[in-house]
Amino acid sequence: MKHVSIHLVAVLSLLLGSFTACDHQSEFTVKGIVSDADGQVMYLENVGVSNVTLMDSVKLNAAGKFQFKKPRPAYPDFYRLRLNNQLINFSIDSTETVSFVADAETFATSYTVEGSENGKAIKNITLAQLDANQLIQRLRKAYEAGEVSDTLYAEEVKKAAKAYKEVALQYIYSAPMSPAAYFALFQQIDGLLFFDLYDPTDSKAYAAVATSYDHNYPDSPRSKHLYNLALQSIKVIRSKREQPASTNLAAMADREVGFMEIELPNLRGENVKLSEVAEGKPTLINFTAYALEWSPELNMTLAELYATYHSKGLEIYQVSLDDDLHFWKNAASNLPWVCVRDPQSVYSSVAALYNVRQLPALFLLDKKGNLVKRIEDLKTLVADIKSVL
């Protein structure tokens, strides 16, 4: 079956940290100045594990001053300032005051931040990511124009990614418990994560951050998310038998970890949770797009499986990334399984949570809700499903 790559916006845009447990105040403050933005609206958004929520907004005047005061989060949480689709990402873990100074034209890249040394580190990570992406975009244009050979293109792309990783790894291994490390881990290259979850070397970086988050914030949803990614990583790496897993990943393999929650609207506009569908049942999660040419063939395959195994407990939770709502509704209207749609389309934060690198993507949950396999080959799908019934 033909696959299609998708571009995913970095779902988890983070920064700064150390939890200040002794501070009993209940608010944090974000303030600053944005020049040359008279009459423009700037938004404050909370970047959750699987969605982005608008918290507040302000119409800037000629002076450009702004200030937001919001409740302190229970765990380190992540926010962003948005102006004309340019983003400044940051995190809050206490009652701190973080100040920004920016210009409307270069809002996302030339800002300064005070009140957080980790915030400054995040800017360095962001600039390294932008440098790599811009270089790769130039390389692609040259490659598509026939000016660069296949071999040279691949080598230069690898060098660009390596340059970013060298910056990122300084933060990941020096302070893996920090939101800055988390931010570095989830940055993207050409719409895909720099750190490949299924690469034995990169998996160690996931393990380092996952272990630290689990130790420092064991009840945080982000800790559970990281552990799920790390568990998924070790299962794939071990199945390929490329090399023994690291000590951290080996320890994770013995720990029972569930799945990342998904809650999206169905055809009737009602939010449906994956946890409710999958409770006590083996479940196939499918990220797809009905508008793509291979979709009818995939749905026919799923229909045969559903007809055979639904009576034995199998459920299918299908997530559409189609950007056309009406097309999706028409295409999904006669399908017998649970069909939901992410309105973020190819910028889906849910798909990014599952490290979806191409469509279609399929994941299998067992009866206990454990994510047991990422299905790489549709030819093994029947055997995979039988293994969890």
Side-chain angles (χ1 to χ4, degrees), residues 39-347:
Q40 298 183 43
V41 178
M42 185 176 69
Y43 301 90
L44 173 66
E45 298 173 328
N46 173 232
V47 183
V49 175
S50 61
N51 59 7
V52 176
T53 304
L54 175 63
M55 297 186 71
D56 208 341
S57 64
V58 60
K59 187 173 183 179
L60 299 167
N61 57 25
K65 290 185 177 180
F66 69 91
Q67 179 170 291
F68 299 111
K69 285 184 176 290
K70 295 299 172 184
R72 168 184 174 174
Y75 306 103
D77 209 354
F78 308 101
Y79 304 84
R80 68 189 189 190
L81 298 173
R82 175 166 59 88
L83 181 71
N84 294 329
N85 294 321
Q86 295 192 75
L87 306 173
I88 294 177
N89 296 290
F90 62 99
S91 75
I92 293 292
D93 58 13
S94 67
T95 58
E96 62 202 327
T97 296
V98 183
S99 302
F100 295 96
V101 176
D103 179 82
E105 186 175 352
T106 58
F107 183 76
T109 57
S110 297
Y111 67 91
T112 61
V113 56
E114 297 296 335
S116 169
E117 290 302 312
N118 284 332
K120 297 174 183 177
I122 282 295
K123 183 180 178 182
N124 293 336
I125 295 168
T126 299
L127 293 178
Q129 182 262 345
L130 290 174
D131 286 345
N133 270 335
Q134 289 173 2
L135 175 57
I136 289 169
Q137 288 172 7
R138 292 196 297 269
L139 284 168
R140 183 185 298 105
K141 288 181 180 178
Y143 175 71
E144 291 173 348
E147 300 169 1
V148 176
S149 67
D150 292 356
T151 301
L152 181 59
Y153 175 69
E155 289 177 352
E156 293 301 316
V157 168
K158 189 177 293 186
K159 286 181 183 178
K162 183 179 179 181
Y164 168 77
K165 284 185 178 182
E166 287 176 351
V167 174
L169 287 171
Q170 295 176 24
Y171 300 98
I172 289 172
Y173 287 125
S174 64
M177 78 297 295
S178 71
Y182 204 131
F183 179 86
L185 191 64
F186 284 97
Q187 291 307 288
Q188 296 182 347
I189 177 172
D190 193 25
L192 298 173
L193 294 172
F194 280 93
F195 289 91
D196 184 354
L197 197 61
Y198 309 116
D199 177 85
T201 299
D202 288 355
S203 70
K204 296 176 183 178
Y206 282 96
V209 180
T211 302
S212 294
Y213 259 70
D214 182 67
H215 176 73
N216 288 279
Y217 317 112
D219 297 323
S220 168
R222 298 183 189 277
S223 299
K224 297 173 184 177
H225 157 243
L226 272 170
Y227 250 102
N228 275 288
L229 289 181
L231 180 68
Q232 185 179 325
S233 174
I234 188 175
K235 286 182 179 294
V236 172
I237 291 170
R238 282 186 170 181
S239 68
K240 292 180 179 179
R241 297 181 180 178
E242 292 176 347
Q243 67 176 49
S246 69
T247 302
N248 285 339
L249 280 175
M252 291 176 191
D254 297 326
R255 173 174 170 173
E256 187 172 291
V257 181
F259 56 87
M260 287 78 79
E261 179 69 286
I262 303 175
E263 183 176 358
L264 290 169
N266 62 12
L267 293 166
R268 296 183 295 278
E270 303 165 344
N271 280 357
V272 180
K273 289 185 177 181
L274 172 60
S275 58
E276 295 174 351
V277 174
E279 186 175 2
K281 302 174 183 178
T283 302
L284 183 67
I285 307 168
N286 172 218
F287 289 89
T288 188
Y290 296 167
L292 298 175
E293 61 183 18
W294 44 257
S295 177
E297 179 186 350
L298 173 64
N299 282 340
M300 287 178 63
T301 299
L302 295 181
E304 292 175 2
L305 291 169
Y306 193 78
T308 303
Y309 298 109
H310 179 60
S311 62
K312 300 178 181 179
L314 178 69
E315 294 288 352
I316 297 177
Y317 188 94
Q318 190 173 54
V319 180
S320 164
L321 301 185
D322 291 277
D323 58 2
D324 188 325
L325 173 63
H326 298 292
F327 179 88
W328 167 68
K329 284 188 173 181
N330 289 331
S333 60
N334 294 317
L335 297 178
W337 51 80
V338 176
C339 298
V340 298
R341 173 179 170 270
D342 192 335
Q344 295 183 66
S345 186
V346 295
Y347 301 103

